[in-house]
Amino acid sequence: MRQDLTSPATVVCSVRHTLFIIIHSHLILLLMQDFIEMQQRQEAARQQTIDSLNEVLCRIISQPPGAASWHGTSRDLVELVDLAASRQTICDDRGIPFSRNALARKAFAATGLHMPAHVSGVVHRIRNRANSSYSLLTRWGRSLGQTNFSCQL
């Protein structure tokens, strides 16, 4: 027995199915838009935090030796230096970005702290830690009031 495709019951089922697909597609688009907006907010918060940390390092290295104070750990200072060095935003008088080691020397001299012998080894351990919630970037972001803030370097 062939089903009549023009019967009222078939047309109603087809319309319901089409409406379901349209509504379902619209809901998926709304969820995708929400997700994209959330990602953009998180990236903006991350950039704000990185900019704030960059300013802190600029203030530290502009101080004469031993004049700056650092209340974090040496590892936090190395993480701060690595973040700035990876972005290449702090430059010398000729406009050339400081290397990680040059920034570390300036930051540790300004704070009067002992610089680790192998900064790259400390950076390697920082990048490979198991829990990213210990990240200076994450802790600084949370201190700025960004409650749902978590990111990797």
Side-chain angles (χ1 to χ4, degrees), residues 51-62:
D51 291 343
S52 174
L53 285 169
N54 205 41
E55 289 174 19
V56 168
L57 185 61
C58 285
R59 276 183 274 159
I60 289 172
I61 65 173
S62 68

Side-chain angles (χ1 to χ4, degrees), residues 11-131:
V11 171
V12 168
C13 286
S14 177
V15 169
R16 282 184 184 161
H17 183 69
T18 303
L19 280 174
F20 173 77
I21 291 172
I22 290 170
I23 291 171
H24 193 265
S25 299
H26 183 70
L27 290 174
I28 289 173
L29 284 174
L30 288 175
L31 288 173
M32 288 174 59
Q33 287 174 339
D34 287 346
F35 178 76
I36 291 169
E37 288 172 4
M38 180 190 65
Q39 291 291 320
Q40 290 171 338
R41 284 191 304 272
Q42 285 181 340
E43 182 57 27
R46 182 179 188 278
Q47 287 303 318
Q48 178 186 6
T49 302
I50 290 171
D51 291 343
S52 174
L53 285 169
N54 205 41
E55 289 174 19
V56 168
L57 185 61
C58 285
R59 276 183 274 159
I60 289 172
I61 65 173
S62 68
Q63 300 294 317
S69 63
W70 178 255
H71 300 287
T73 65
S74 295
R75 192 173 182 152
D76 286 343
L77 189 54
V78 169
E79 189 172 356
L80 179 62
V81 164
D82 181 55
L83 181 63
S86 67
R87 293 185 72 215
Q88 298 184 337
T89 54
I90 301 177
C91 300
D92 63 10
D93 297 336
R94 297 171 294 163
I96 298 171
F98 283 111
S99 68
R100 181 192 309 142
N101 285 334
L103 278 174
R105 280 192 300 276
K106 290 176 84 52
F108 278 92
T111 58
L113 297 173
H114 175 70
M115 184 173 137
H118 302 285
V119 174
S120 60
V122 177
V123 169
H124 176 73
R125 287 190 298 277
I126 287 169
R127 289 183 181 172
N128 292 313
R129 69 176 143 228
N131 190 344

